[in-house]
Amino acid sequence: MAKYGMLTDVGKCIGCHACTTACKVKNDTPEGVFWTRVSTYEQGTFPDARPYTAPLSRCMHCEYPACVSACPVGALGKAEEGAVTYDASRCVGCRYCMAACPFHTPQLDWDSVLSSIQKCQLCADRLAADLEPACASVCPTGALQFGERASLLAEARERIQASDGQYVNHIYGQNEVGGTSVLYISPVEFESLGLSPLGSEPLTELSEKVAVIGTPTIAGVAAAVLGGLYLFTKRRERGKAASTAAEDSK
Amino acid sequence: MIARTQRRTAPTVFWVVAGVVGALGLGVSIWRLAQGLGATTNLSDAYPWGLWIVFDIFLIPFSAGAFTMAAIANIMNKDEYHAIARPVILAGFLGYAGVVAILLLDLARWHQFYKILWPGFWNLQSFMLEVTLCITLYTIVLLLELSPLLWERFRMASVQRGFRLAGAWIAGAGIVLSCLHQASLGSLFLLMRESLQGLWWSPMLPLFFLLSAVFSGLAMIIFVTVITGRAYGYPGSVRLLPGLAQAAAVLLALYGVLRLGDLVIRNQVGLMFGAGSLSLLFWGEIIIGLVIPLVLFALKSTRERGAGLLWGAICVIVGLALNRASVGLFALERPAGAQYFPSLIEFMVVIGVLAIAAIAYAVVTQYLPVFSDKAASTTG
Ligand code: SF4
Ligand code: SF4
C-alpha cells in the first residue's frame, strides 16, 4: 500500500489562508480551534525583516507516533497509508497524547464541557474516497503538495537543489523521530519556524520495549522474590519452633 | 488548666477547618465536572498537564508506605511491625483514594472513564493504561487489607479467619501491583525524550521511580508513626523506626549513586551547573531529598531520636515532591512563551482532597480498632 504524505514548501507559501479556511470548513472545528493554520514568522531585524508564512504546528503524522503509543484506550491510530486519526468515542481525555507529542500539536477544545482532542486527521475520509486532503486541494501555489511520501521526498530534494542554496539543505520530517508523513522544506532555518531539531530514533521504541519486556519482568521478579522470602522465613520459623520444641522436651 | 482547654480546642479547630476546606473542595469538584476543564483550570494546549498530575505522581509514591509496610510485615514475617502496619495502610488507602478522585477529575472526558476498564479498548503499550489499571486494583487490595478492621469491630470471627489465610496472598498481590505501577509512573515519561530535560529524562526512569517510591514509603511510615504517636498519645512502636531509617539510608545511597552514574554515562553532567534555574532545582532535590536525609538516617545518633527521624522523613518527602514536580511540570519543555500557574480551583481541589482524607483518617481511627494491639493477629 502506498504511504502518503504532505510536502510543505515554506518558500512557496504566500499566506493566503486558503488552507486554513478549507480545513475549517471541511472539519467544522470548534470556535477558535484550527487543525491547520497559517502562521507568520518574522526573519531578520528591522528594516531588513521579512515575514515568512506557512501552515505550521499541525500534526506531522509521524511514522512512529508517540501519541498513538501513549493512548491508553486506542483512541488514536495510525493508518498504513499514513494518517494518524482520532476517535472521540473512545477517548477518556487524559491528555497523555498531548504531553507525549514531540511537536506539541494535539489540542483540546478547552471551552467545551466534555472536551475532545483536536488534531489533523489528514482527511482520512477524503483519502478513502480518492480525494486529496482539503488543504492541499485548495493551495494555489503548490506550497502544500499531497502525494506518495517517497515521491514527495524526491520532489523536495529537487526543489532544494534547484533553489541554488536559497533553501536549507534539509528535509524536516524525513528522519525526525523516525520520520513523519508531513515534510517541510524552507529557505529559513527550521528552528525559527518553531520546528525544533529532534533526534532520528523513534520516541516509541524504548517505551514500547519497556512495556513489552519490562512489565512482565518486574511482575515476575517481584513475585519470585516475594515467594522466596515468604518460604524462607516460614521455613526458618518452623526450624526455630522445632528447635525450641526439642529444647523443651530435653 | 490552660493546657487542658488547648487540648480540647485543638480538635475542634481541626474539625471546623478540615470540614470547611473539604466541603469547598467537594463543591468545586462538582463545578469542575459541570463546567469543563477550560472554565475551571489554567491548563492549556501548551500545558496539558498541571498541578493535578504532579500531585498524583507525588501522592502515589508517598502512599507507598502501605506497600513497603505490607512487605515487611507479611512477607518477611516481621511480626513486630504489625503493630504499626494499620495506621500506615489506612493512610496509604486514603492517599490512593485521593489519587483516584483527582485522576477522575482530571479526565476531560470523564463521562467515558469506564472505557479504560474495557479490555477491548486496551492499548497494552500505553503506560497510562498500566498505571490506571494497577492503581484501581491496588486501591481494592488496600481496602481488603483494611477490611479486618470491620470484621474485628463487628466480631465476625469466621470472615476474620478466612482473611487471615488470604492475608499473605492479598499482600503479595498488592506488592506486585505496587512495584508495577510505581515503575510505570516513571515509564510514562520515557516517551518524552525530546521534551524532558536531560537531568531528569533517562531510560532508567522506571527504576528511579520504583526505588524512590520505596524509600519515600519508608519515610512516610516514619512520618505517620511519629506524628500519630504524638497526636494520639499512642506510643506507637517508635523503637522499630531506626531499623526502617537504616534501610532507607541504604536505598537513598543506592539511588544517589545510580542517578549520578546515569548522568555521567549519558554525558549530561554539564547540565548540573549550566542549566540555570533547572540546575538549581536539581541541586535542591539532591541536597534536600538525598544528602540531608542520608546523613540523618545513616548516623546512629540522629536516627534514634524522634526529631532526627521526623526531619529525615520530611526531607525525603520534600525531595520527592521536588523530583515529581520537575519531571511532571518544570523540566518538561513547552512551546516558547507559554506559562502556567494553577488556578484557585485546581488548588482547592487538591487541598480539599487532603482535608477529606484527614477527616476520614480521624473518623476511622476513632471508631475502628486501628491502633489495636491485636492487630498483629489479623493483618496477615
Ligand atoms: S505529530 Fe504528534 S499528534 Fe501528530 S502523529 Fe506525531 S505524535 Fe501524534
Ligand atoms: S486524551 Fe484521549 S486520545 Fe489522548 S491519550 Fe488520552 S485517551 Fe488517548
Side-chain angles (χ1 to χ4, degrees), chain A residues 59-62 65-67 84 101-103 105-106 119:
Chain A
C59 173
M60 301 285 288
H61 297 278
C62 305
C67 59
V84 173
C101 170
F103 303 99
T105 61
K119 71 179 281 303

Side-chain angles (χ1 to χ4, degrees), chain B residues 235-315:
Chain B
S237 297
V238 181
R239 70 196 156 76
L240 297 174
L241 299 183
L244 297 184
Q246 207 170 2
V250 173
L251 292 174
L252 281 165
L254 176 65
Y255 178 78
V257 169
L258 287 176
R259 279 288 297 270
L260 213 70
D262 171 65
L263 286 176
V264 172
I265 290 171
R266 285 186 303 108
N267 223 348
Q268 305 283 349
V269 178
L271 289 179
M272 284 161 63
F273 308 99
S277 50
L278 286 181
S279 301
L280 275 182
L281 203 57
F282 174 79
W283 282 111
E285 177 193 329
I286 295 297
I287 292 172
I288 300 175
L290 203 74
V291 179
I292 299 180
L294 182 57
V295 172
L296 288 176
F297 287 163
L299 294 179
K300 205 161 182 246
S301 56
T302 40
R303 74 158 174 262
E304 293 195 336
R305 278 209 199 108
L309 285 169
L310 190 60
W311 281 109
I314 290 175
C315 283

Side-chain angles (χ1 to χ4, degrees), chain A residues 165-189:
Chain A
Q166 293 276 303
Y167 272 46
V168 180
N169 189 17
H170 180 74
I171 306 172
Y172 192 90
Q174 179 173 13
N175 296 317
E176 275 73 9
V177 291
T180 56
S181 297
V182 174
L183 307 164
Y184 284 92
I185 51 173
S186 163
V188 279
E189 284 302 327

Side-chain angles (χ1 to χ4, degrees), chain A residues 66-76 85-88 90-99 106 108 115-117 119, chain B residues 49 107-109 116 126 128:
Chain A
C67 59
V68 173
S69 179
C71 181
V73 287
L76 292 156
T85 56
Y86 168 68
D87 174 3
R90 280 192 181 195
C91 170
V92 295
C94 66
R95 309 187 298 289
Y96 189 20
C97 53
M98 302 174 74
L108 197 81
S115 311
S116 51
I117 294 294
K119 71 179 281 303
Chain B
W49 283 357
L107 293 182
R109 302 176 71 73
I116 215 166
S126 166
M128 184 59 87

Side-chain angles (χ1 to χ4, degrees), chain A residues 66 68-74 86 88-96 98-100 102 104 106-108 110-116 177 197-204 206-208 210-212 215 218-219 222-223 226 229-230 233-234 236-237, chain B residues 33-39 41 43-45 48-49 74-77 106-113 115-116 120-130 168 172 175-176 179-180 183 187-195 201 203 206 333-335:
Chain A
V68 173
S69 179
C71 181
V73 287
Y86 168 68
S89 73
R90 280 192 181 195
C91 170
V92 295
C94 66
R95 309 187 298 289
Y96 189 20
M98 302 174 74
H104 311 305
Q107 300 160 264
L108 197 81
W110 294 94
D111 292 337
S112 308
V113 172
L114 297 168
S115 311
S116 51
V177 291
L198 296 172
S200 59
E201 315 90 74
L203 294 176
T204 50
L206 175 66
S207 171
E208 290 176 2
V210 173
V212 173
T215 304
I218 293 177
L226 284 181
L229 269 178
Y230 187 70
T233 43
K234 270 272 139 92
R236 202 176 48 185
E237 251 165 44
Chain B
L33 293 179
Q35 295 295 308
L37 283 174
T41 68
L43 297 170
S44 62
D45 290 331
W49 283 357
N74 282 294
I75 305 300
M76 304 194 189
N77 271 323
D106 209 351
L107 293 182
R109 302 176 71 73
W110 55 273
H111 63 301
Q112 317 207 91
F113 81 92
K115 303 219 166 172
I116 215 166
F121 290 157
W122 286 353
N123 168 17
L124 293 175
Q125 291 173 332
S126 166
F127 280 104
M128 184 59 87
L129 177 75
E130 197 184 311
I175 292 163
V176 172
C179 290
L180 279 178
S187 305
L188 272 183
F189 297 89
L190 287 177
L191 280 173
M192 303 177 196
R193 183 187 75 207
E194 298 291 347
S195 33
W201 188 88
E333 193 207 341
R334 300 316 301 173

